[in-house]
Amino acid sequence: MKAVYISEPGGPEVLEVREVQSPVAGPGEVLIDVVAAGLNRADVQQRRGFYPPPPGASEIPGLEVSGRIAGFGPGVTKAFSVGDKVVALLAGGGYAQQVAVPAGQVLRIPDGVDLVTAASLPEVAATVYSNLIMTAQLQPGETVLIHGATGGIGTMAIQLAKAMGARVATTAGNAEKVGTAKAFLGADIAINYAEESFPASLRAQNGGKGADVILDVVGAKYLEQNIDALADYGRLVVIGLQGGAKAELDLGQLLRKRAAIIATALRPRPVEEKTVIMNAVRDAVWPMLTDGRIRPLVAKTFPLDQVAAAHAYFDSGDHVGKVLLVM
């Protein structure tokens, strides 16, 4: 099969398409003929040498795919058939024509979503639902601040939080993206972080109140401002480190607000936890996709042999929604 490998840490040019041996489904695994794979920030970090695969995971990048079931390893008990259209959450291996994945991390595609577009869903849906709902316990009527409005995580998080009855604030880096966040995605408040302080702007537009929940992909660069932006009893959930890993924390401010900081990563979790998350996504998020409360957003698709161009486009930050590789 064809698969993408990283020749050395670096820019998009280090991504190489190679002919390699096809995977074999092990115990409890499903073999999938991949139709499309989603690009994620974790893939970029892996390409740059900052985010190696977890022990035992494939060196091939790619954390989510859509495709058709091609076969089964021993002991698969989930009710699938060969040819079923599915999506899968991976620890790696998605930039390839086939992948073997634990059956608990595989779901049938939602009704009404085509097979290519479906590749945009598993990683972001699992990340957003597990963090906003399962971890932060976001409640209807609460205010949530979501950083990175127009990326894959942001577009899913805004729509999911709105569908759950929350008041949604978000940040973006220019006026066009701010407009998209409000007019197209449905955010109640959209803040241009390049022109104004997001904690002050949030309070000014939210009746003087901060955010009950913040979903943050930036990390260290935003820590001080995120604590400032939290409401009393607020929960800051850090899921990315685009702005660094180390920062100074004012514990006094955190104590005064009776607030919490939680940091989570999906990729290294054990199969059992991912299975619980994917089952929750199937039960809670898939119906929202079917009835139109959430729309999957695909910015652009690229053929597998143009993976370097796909990463260059992703790195530019020009996309709204997901970037996909099509096999």
Side-chain angles (χ1 to χ4, degrees):
M1 70 171 185
K2 290 182 179 179
V4 174
Y5 280 81
I6 300 167
S7 61
E8 59 182 348
E13 71 280 355
V14 305
L15 297 168
E16 297 179 351
V17 179
R18 302 176 185 174
E19 288 282 348
V20 298
Q21 189 70 35
S22 297
V24 176
E29 290 186 332
V30 172
L31 184 66
I32 297 173
D33 287 330
V34 176
V35 169
L39 271 65
N40 288 280
R41 183 64 55 183
D43 305 338
V44 173
Q45 293 297 85
Q46 181 176 337
R47 187 197 77 209
R48 292 172 173 167
F50 300 138
Y51 194 20
S58 171
E59 294 181 10
I60 299 167
L63 303 182
E64 59 185 344
V65 298
S66 61
R68 298 178 178 87
I69 290 182
F72 303 94
V76 173
T77 58
K78 209 165 180 179
F80 288 127
S81 300
V82 170
D84 282 353
K85 297 177 180 180
V86 295
V87 296
L89 177 70
L90 315 172
Y95 292 12
Q97 292 177 317
Q98 281 194 323
V99 66
V101 57
Q105 295 169 211
V106 180
L107 299 178
R108 289 183 178 84
I109 68 171
D111 292 339
V113 179
D114 71 82
L115 193 50
V116 171
T117 300
S120 69
L121 296 173
E123 171 70 16
V124 293
T127 297
V128 169
Y129 190 83
S130 65
N131 284 289
L132 282 187
I133 309 304
M134 300 172 75
T135 297
Q137 296 288 302
L138 179 66
Q139 300 298 310
E142 288 192 316
T143 297
V144 58
L145 173 61
I146 295 159
H147 291 302
T150 56
I153 293 292
T155 55
M156 172 61 72
I158 291 169
Q159 294 183 86
L160 177 63
K162 286 293 292 182
M164 298 296 293
R167 180 168 169 79
V168 178
T170 189
T171 62
N174 59 52
E176 181 181 1
K177 291 183 176 182
V178 165
T180 297
K182 294 190 76 170
F184 186 57
L185 298 172
D188 300 289
I189 298 167
I191 302 164
N192 186 340
Y193 65 78
E195 295 184 351
E196 55 187 336
S197 161
F198 69 78
S201 182
L202 172 63
R203 286 190 291 268
Q205 298 183 68
N206 197 40
K209 185 177 180 292
D212 300 291
V213 173
I214 299 176
L215 186 66
D216 177 48
V217 296
V218 177
K221 182 180 178 180
Y222 273 8
L223 181 62
E224 182 178 354
Q225 295 176 86
N226 278 333
I227 301 301
D228 184 13
L230 278 176
D232 290 347
Y233 301 101
R235 292 89 73 196
L236 166 61
V237 185
V238 181
I239 61 170
L241 301 173
Q242 296 175 31
K246 294 182 179 181
E248 189 170 295
L249 172 63
D250 183 348
L251 289 172
Q253 191 176 20
L254 204 64
L255 285 167
R256 288 189 295 274
K257 293 189 174 187
R258 286 83 70 201
I261 300 175
I262 307 159
T264 72
L266 181 60
R267 188 182 191 185
R269 293 193 190 203
V271 171
E272 294 77 15
E273 289 187 26
K274 291 181 180 178
T275 299
V276 169
I277 291 168
M278 290 298 279
N279 288 341
V281 165
R282 177 197 62 211
D283 295 342
V285 182
W286 267 206
M288 296 181 189
L289 286 154
T290 298
D291 67 21
R293 283 176 287 170
I294 295 176
R295 295 171 292 174
L297 298 176
V298 175
K300 199 169 184 180
T301 62
F302 292 81
L304 184 65
D305 61 4
Q306 292 182 21
V307 61
H311 267 244
Y313 175 65
F314 187 94
D315 287 355
S316 75
D318 291 337
H319 55 288
V320 176
K322 295 288 291 190
V323 181
L324 304 180
L325 292 174
V326 179
M327 304 303 145

